[in-house]
Amino acid sequence: MSSDISDLAAEFERHRPYVRAVALRMLGSGGDADDAVQEAWLRLSRAGGDGVEDLRAWLTTVTSRVCLDMLRNRRTRREVPVSIDLDELLGDSELAEPRRRPATPEEEVLLAESVGIALHVVMDSLTPAERVAFVLHDIFGLPFGQVADVLGRSTAAVKMLASRARNRVRLVGPGELREDAGDRAVVDAFFAAAGSGDLSALLALLAPDVHLHVFTPEGVRIVSGAKKVAAQAGAGARRGAAQRPVIRPVTVRRSAGMLIILDGRPMFLITFTVQDRLITEMRSVTDPDRLAQIIPSWAT
């Protein structure tokens, strides 16, 4: 690999979405993930790239070790990655009636189970090593040997770490957590382009015949075509910017999505179908009352 800094930076940018996805899953915070990615770049730039045969693998190792150090050093942070069964959310059920009182934590857990939401709510209780082993192997599918190199432990020890983590992560199976990292990178790029108002970047991420299905309390609206969908996404981002929304990654039937939260209340859930790195379909739920029934309070 060339040690020229501009070439190195270009190669790093190509891998940035994946590296950030790894960091985000480990740290549960976009800001912390960005810090970890920046530290990975600083280490790469200092190393100059010489002798790096597989940059993606090198960055995975370095970023994971940075995250491991951050997990060891920081105070406990509540993290709730959410996986949602969108069909249950949109279907007819007793949840159609607004809830008349806030649910207790116990009721929220029962509600989550009843509508097919999978939550892993005990990531905080994992040791840093368990967390890294679980994320790298069970979510991103890295072989145990590679995870062992990251942690500096034997393969057998890493298998034990992942097994312990898996047993302590409640309400979700490892298969439900896994999503395609490339799809998540496309979704992250879509939100970045919408937020910056970059119409050309949005169009480059959308299939020409993309469809956007918007589910509202009044009914379903369909927007078709890349130009119309891009225009709607840009307009929505402009309207929401002043409100400083919190945007959290979610997984819907192993597909990438985003939950948009305003003032501590879930307002929009958007899911994406990605094929050949292009978004072919989007489904947006804009029903705050329904979302508030489905998303437990501690997830916002």
Side-chain angles (χ1 to χ4, degrees):
M1 178 182 297
S2 170
S3 60
D4 181 84
I5 192 65
S6 61
D7 291 343
L8 196 61
E11 281 293 296
F12 177 81
E13 289 302 317
R14 189 165 64 86
H15 292 285
R16 179 187 287 272
Y18 167 79
V19 173
R20 189 178 188 277
V22 170
L24 185 59
R25 295 310 183 282
M26 289 186 186
L27 300 171
S29 161
D32 287 350
D34 289 337
D35 289 344
V37 172
Q38 180 64 19
E39 177 61 25
W41 160 246
L42 290 174
R43 295 188 185 188
L44 177 63
S45 62
R46 286 197 296 265
D50 293 330
V52 178
E53 299 297 331
D54 184 340
L55 183 58
R56 181 183 173 110
W58 190 94
L59 288 171
T60 300
T61 298
V62 169
T63 304
S64 298
R65 288 173 178 167
V66 170
C67 292
L68 184 63
D69 289 340
M70 294 173 71
L71 288 168
R72 286 169 172 164
N73 293 331
R74 77 184 185 184
R75 294 180 181 275
T76 300
R77 183 194 305 276
R78 168 153 272 176
E79 175 193 347
V80 189
V82 181
S83 176
I84 300 172
D85 188 328
L86 187 61
D87 290 332
E88 291 283 357
L89 175 60
L90 298 175
D92 293 330
S93 75
E94 61 184 11
L95 297 174
E97 291 298 322
R99 202 163 52 205
R100 291 179 172 80
R101 62 174 176 79
T104 65
E106 293 78 10
E107 288 172 333
E108 286 180 334
V109 171
L110 291 174
L111 178 62
E113 291 178 317
S114 70
V115 298
I117 298 178
L119 303 170
H120 62 108
V121 299
V122 293
M123 289 286 278
D124 299 349
S125 69
L126 304 182
T127 68
E130 288 172 345
R131 192 163 174 151
V132 170
F134 178 79
V135 169
L136 289 181
H137 181 267
D138 284 54
I139 298 180
F140 285 93
L142 269 66
F144 281 120
Q146 187 173 347
V147 182
D149 289 340
V150 171
L151 291 173
R153 304 195 184 193
S154 69
T155 300
V158 168
K159 288 181 178 179
M160 184 64 69
L161 287 170
S163 177
R164 285 205 304 262
R166 198 176 302 120
N167 290 334
R168 293 165 66 187
V169 175
R170 293 195 297 264
L171 300 182
V172 73
E176 291 175 307
L177 283 174
R178 187 177 291 117
E179 66 182 30
D180 187 285
D183 290 358
R184 174 59 64 184
V186 171
V187 172
D188 288 345
F190 177 87
F191 272 81
S196 65
D198 190 338
L199 182 60
S200 62
L202 281 172
L203 290 172
L205 296 165
L206 296 168
D209 58 349
V210 62
H211 297 289
L212 166 63
H213 301 261
V214 183
F215 298 85
T216 73
E218 292 74 34
V220 182
R221 180 166 54 89
I222 300 176
V223 180
S224 298
K227 289 185 178 179
K228 290 182 179 180
V229 171
Q232 172 131 341
R238 288 192 296 274
R239 287 194 301 269
Q243 298 173 290
R244 300 180 66 84
V246 175
I247 301 176
R248 302 196 60 175
V250 300
T251 301
V252 181
R253 291 196 170 182
R254 305 187 192 182
S255 297
M258 290 290 189
L259 179 67
I260 291 87
I261 301 164
L262 294 175
D263 297 324
R265 189 180 186 205
M267 300 298 289
F268 304 95
L269 173 68
I270 308 173
T271 70
F272 298 79
T273 300
V274 180
Q275 296 179 357
D276 298 325
R277 300 300 182 255
L278 290 176
I279 297 168
T280 59
E281 184 179 32
M282 298 166 57
R283 302 172 78 188
S284 173
V285 180
T286 59
D287 188 342
D289 289 336
R290 193 73 175 276
L291 288 171
Q293 291 173 309
I294 299 297
I295 309 299
S297 61
W298 33 254
T300 59

